């Protein structure tokens, strides 16, 4: 599994499921379970790298504008959701969060928490093992230093003030406020 294959799975799932996160979750899990256990682990490693890559104050500003608040878990699930939108949207949003105003509908729920579990479900399906241990994708990725939660690297970029968001990302602000 490489990054190109990772995005192929994500892009396909989004093109079929759209904003239906349960359907997208099912598609990803089914596709992943056809890969080897090692490839499923590699998917998890790439996923975690993308979550860490998206930990940027610009992305946090987009989360604040779209969702109205930024707290730990919702911000994490927002980054999962951003990945779930596919490679082009993910990369463009990291460059300029205002891009999201052109591709996301107002009223969207920017949360894809279940993306956290697709590798585990696929790994269980592939191996037949039902009890997680240190050989499972999340544990292997964590042991490689890919912690996007409490042990994560510091958020990248420049912090912002709420009152400045309308000027920083005017298209997003107009659409979601």
């Amino acid at each position: 599994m490489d990054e190109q294959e990772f995005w192929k799975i994500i892009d396909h799932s989004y093109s079929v499921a759209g904003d239906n996160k349960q359907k997208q979750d099912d598609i990803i899990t089914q596709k992943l379970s056809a890969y080897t256990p090692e490839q499923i682990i590699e998917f998890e490693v790439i996923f975690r790298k993308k979550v860490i890559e998206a930990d940027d104050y610009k992305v946090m500003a987009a989360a604040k504008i779209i969702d109205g608040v930024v707290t730990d878990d919702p911000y994490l699930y927002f980054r999962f959701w951003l990945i779930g939108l596919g490679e082009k949207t993910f990369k463009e949003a990291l460059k300029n969060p205002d891009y999201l105003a052109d591709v996301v509908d107002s009223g969207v729920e920017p949360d894809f928490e279940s993306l956290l579990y697709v590798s585990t479900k696929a790994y269980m399906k592939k191996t037949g093992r039902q009890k997680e241990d240190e050989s499972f994708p999340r544990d292997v990725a964590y042991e490689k230093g890919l912690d996007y939660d409490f042990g994560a690297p510091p958020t990248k970029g420049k912090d912002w003030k709420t009152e400045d968001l309308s000027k920083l990302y005017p298209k997003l602000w107009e659409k979601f406020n």
Side-chain angles (χ1 to χ4, degrees):
M1 173 82 54
D2 59 14
E3 192 172 313
Q4 183 178 1
E5 191 68 16
F6 171 88
W7 283 120
K8 184 177 167 187
I9 294 166
I10 298 292
D11 288 342
H12 169 75
S13 70
Y14 185 68
S15 73
V16 172
D19 290 329
N20 183 335
K21 296 303 169 208
Q22 182 58 55
K23 186 174 183 179
Q24 189 175 11
D25 176 306
D26 292 343
I27 292 167
I28 295 168
T29 301
Q30 180 181 347
K31 286 252 182 225
L32 266 182
S33 64
Y35 288 86
T36 67
E38 294 77 22
Q39 289 171 312
I40 296 169
I41 290 169
E42 290 165 0
F43 180 93
E44 177 71 17
V45 165
I46 294 166
F47 169 68
R48 284 175 172 258
K49 287 179 179 177
K50 295 299 164 197
V51 173
I52 292 166
E53 180 182 352
D55 187 11
D56 189 296
Y57 282 109
K58 292 186 296 190
V59 173
M60 190 183 294
K64 171 73 172 167
I65 293 169
I66 294 170
D67 205 21
V69 297
V70 176
T71 57
D72 291 344
D73 285 349
Y75 174 53
L76 184 60
Y77 305 152
F78 181 89
R79 289 182 281 157
F80 296 171
W81 169 78
L82 192 58
I83 292 165
L85 293 176
E87 181 179 21
K88 181 177 182 356
T89 300
F90 177 81
K91 289 181 175 179
E92 292 297 325
L94 262 55
K95 286 189 241 172
N96 178 12
D98 246 358
Y99 176 81
L100 291 171
D102 297 330
V103 296
V104 176
D105 294 327
S106 59
V108 69
E109 187 177 336
D111 178 325
F112 196 0
E113 178 183 1
S114 66
L115 191 55
L116 173 64
Y117 307 106
V118 294
S119 295
T120 299
K121 291 188 299 186
Y123 192 84
M124 287 176 164
K125 191 173 181 181
K126 183 67 176 187
T127 64
R129 297 171 55 209
Q130 296 302 307
K131 186 171 176 169
E132 283 190 68
D133 61 26
E134 68 279 347
S135 70
F136 271 67
R138 291 191 307 172
D139 285 315
V140 171
Y142 181 82
E143 286 302 314
K144 290 180 183 239
L146 296 170
D147 185 359
Y148 51 68
D149 210 0
F150 300 112
T155 302
K156 295 176 285 304
K158 185 178 179 211
D159 202 353
W160 41 265
K161 293 185 169 121
T162 301
E163 57 268 17
D164 296 331
L165 291 177
S166 64
K167 292 176 194 79
L168 289 171
Y169 305 110
K171 288 168 62 178
L172 264 182
W173 187 263
E174 183 178 324
K175 187 167 192 170
F176 290 94
N177 284 286

